[in-house]
Amino acid sequence: MAVAGEVSLDERDKEYDQYGICIKVKFRQNGKLEVLSAHHQSGGERSVSTIVYLLSLQDLTNVPFRVVDEINQGMDQINERKMFQQLVRAASKPNTPQCFLLTPKLLPDLEYSEACTILTVMHGPWIPQPTEIWKEGERYGIVCGLLGKTHC
C-alpha cells in the first residue's frame, strides 16, 4: 500500500492495567513514523491504518468472523480502493474468518474475488419492484434503472 508502520507495546512501569499498544504510521515517503492520532493523520489515513492493523491480527487470532462498520467513511477514493483491496485479499485466503464490511456505499468498479459475497439491504418505498426483478436473477443495473438513476 506504499505506507509504513510499526506496532509496539506501550508499557507503564508494572501497572499492567495501563498497558496499551502504540501504533506509528507514515503515509509519505519522505515523512517519519508518527503516532496514530487525529493530530498527525487525516481521517482516511487513520481508517486505513486501523484496517491494516486489524487485518494483520488475522494470523494471530482464531475467530469465526470480523465485522467492520463503515471503515470507508471519510476516506478519499484512493485510500478507499486500497483498503478494499486489502480486505478482499485478506478475506480470500484459505482458513480465514469471514469479514463483514458494513457500509452505506462502495466505490464503483471495485475488484472482488470469488470468495466475496455482496449482500445489499434494500429499504424504501420502491422495494417491491427490485424484489420482483431480483427473483429472476437480473442485474443491479436494472434496479438502478427503476430508480431513475444512471449510476448507483
Side-chain angles (χ1 to χ4, degrees):
M1 290 186 61
V3 298
E6 75 177 26
V7 178
S8 60
L9 183 62
D10 186 11
E11 299 178 51
R12 311 282 175 159
D13 297 321
K14 293 285 182 186
E15 297 178 42
Y16 300 114
D17 61 334
Q18 298 297 311
Y19 276 30
I21 56 169
C22 180
I23 300 174
K24 293 183 179 180
V25 296
K26 107 176 165 173
F27 283 84
R28 286 147 205 79
Q29 252 185 342
N30 58 353
K32 63 177 187 161
L33 288 173
E34 299 279 358
V35 173
L36 184 62
S37 73
H39 302 292
H40 296 109
Q41 294 85 22
S42 69
E45 290 170 339
R46 289 192 312 273
S47 292
V48 168
S49 302
T50 301
I51 198 66
V52 169
Y53 174 70
L54 291 174
L55 292 174
S56 71
L57 296 177
Q58 280 202 169
D59 294 336
L60 302 175
T61 60
N62 187 13
V63 297
F65 64 90
R66 300 187 191 285
V67 177
V68 181
D69 187 23
E70 297 188 22
I71 193 80
N72 59 331
Q73 295 307 103
M75 280 189 192
D76 61 32
Q77 288 189 12
I78 294 167
N79 280 330
E80 185 174 350
R81 201 165 291 282
K82 287 179 181 179
M83 178 275 313
F84 191 79
Q85 288 170 344
Q86 291 296 318
L87 271 176
V88 168
R89 217 174 277 133
S92 299
K93 291 179 184 175
N95 303 317
T96 57
Q98 293 181 34
C99 183
F100 297 93
L101 170 61
L102 308 174
T103 183
K105 61 125 185 124
L106 283 175
L107 292 173
D109 303 319
L110 291 172
E111 293 183 26
Y112 301 88
S113 77
E114 291 294 320
C116 294
T117 301
I118 300 170
L119 303 173
T120 304
V121 177
M122 298 176 14
H123 178 71
W126 43 266
I127 195 72
Q129 290 174 330
T131 302
E132 288 302 313
I133 286 176
W134 281 359
K135 276 186 190 174
E136 305 303 318
E138 294 293 336
R139 299 181 305 116
Y140 186 66
I142 292 174
V143 174
C144 293
L146 284 175
L147 299 174
K149 296 180 179 181
T150 56
H151 295 89
C152 283

